Structures are given as C-alpha cells and as structure tokens.
Amino acid sequence: MDHVDKVLEQWRRARPDLDVGPMGLIGRVGRLYLAYLKPMEQTFARFGLNAAKFDVLATLRRAGTPHELSVGDLLKSTMVSSGTMTNRLDRLAADGLIARRPHPDDSRSFLIALTPDGLALIDRAVEAHVQTQAELVAGLSAEDQAQLTTLLSRALKAAGSN
C-alpha cells in the first residue's frame, strides 16, 4: 500500500458515495512527476541549466542543422508565452549559448540558433539527461515501460493534450 492508497481509503471511508479511482490515477501521475523532477533538475544543474533553458536548447538541437528556429516555432514547441520565451532567450544569449539573427523572410522577426558553445553544452547535457531518465525507469521492465508509455499516451489524448 502506497501513500495514494492510504488517501483513497480515507476518502472511501469518509465519502463511500464517491468513485475516487480517478483521484488515485491522477495522484500517482502527479507524485511520479515530482519523483522524476528532482533528479532531472540535478542533472540540468550540473551543466548550469534549469529545465526551461534545457527545453529551449534541446528544441533547437533536435531541429537539426543549422539548429535554428523562428521564435514562433520555438513558442509552438515549448508552449510558453512570448514574454516567458523572451526572458529565456535573453538569458541564453547572455550565457553565449544562442544567437539571434534577423529572419531572412520576415524583417520583423528573428531566427534563434545554437552557438557552437550552446551545441556542445546541449549535446553533453542531453546525454546525461537520457542517462538520468534511464536510471529513473530502470525498475520497470522494457515491456512495462512500453505498456505505461502506451497508456499515458492514451490518457494524454483523452485529456485533450498532444
């Protein structure tokens, strides 16, 4: 019996008329996220990053050569507000990890590109991040991981998220 089971049992005693099964599922997903978050943040910190900076650098890295995107494309990929993105980009530029250049097709906007230092950093950081994630799920068999991935994907779709 885990913590969530205890909470559910309390609710079942206090309100037997309620179906608290979904509460257990969502509670476990939330607790799992929190359990995974701290080790991943520690990995990012080893490279002088946080999750927000990592997200932008990783998005640019996986965009492929020349590792650049418009601000609009970055916004779509990271799902943050334009003000939040500007703040992230300012910090990464100050760190010398990204560079802005005028967009050749739209003089009102910029392209954001990884600098050589940014590319080298994200390559090291993502290797460590993947290792951290592998360690976090090592207690699950490959089959368990595949089943959980499928179920969580279905749950995201059912919740209206992609």
Side-chain angles (χ1 to χ4, degrees), residues 44-110:
F44 299 147
R46 289 190 355 234
F47 297 91
L49 300 172
N50 58 26
K53 287 181 174 182
F54 179 89
D55 187 31
V56 172
L57 295 176
T59 300
L60 290 168
R61 177 62 175 103
R62 68 178 183 264
T65 304
H67 310 298
E68 68 181 14
L69 292 170
S70 69
V71 175
D73 287 337
L74 275 171
L75 287 168
K76 289 176 198 170
S77 180
T78 58
M79 298 181 296
V80 298
S81 71
S82 60
T84 298
M85 181 57 70
T86 298
N87 191 8
R88 288 179 184 183
L89 296 176
D90 287 347
R91 289 179 184 158
L92 289 165
D95 293 341
L97 301 175
I98 61 148
R100 292 178 172 102
R101 70 175 182 89
H103 195 299
D105 300 328
D106 182 356
S107 62
R108 299 168 297 150
S109 65
F110 292 91

Side-chain angles (χ1 to χ4, degrees), residues 108-141:
R108 299 168 297 150
S109 65
F110 292 91
L111 290 175
I112 308 301
L114 288 175
T115 63
D117 286 346
L119 179 60
L121 179 68
I122 192 58
D123 277 345
R124 290 191 319 271
V126 77
E127 288 173 14
H129 179 59
V130 167
Q131 179 62 37
T132 297
Q133 290 180 323
E135 291 167 4
L136 288 169
V137 300
L140 299 172
S141 70

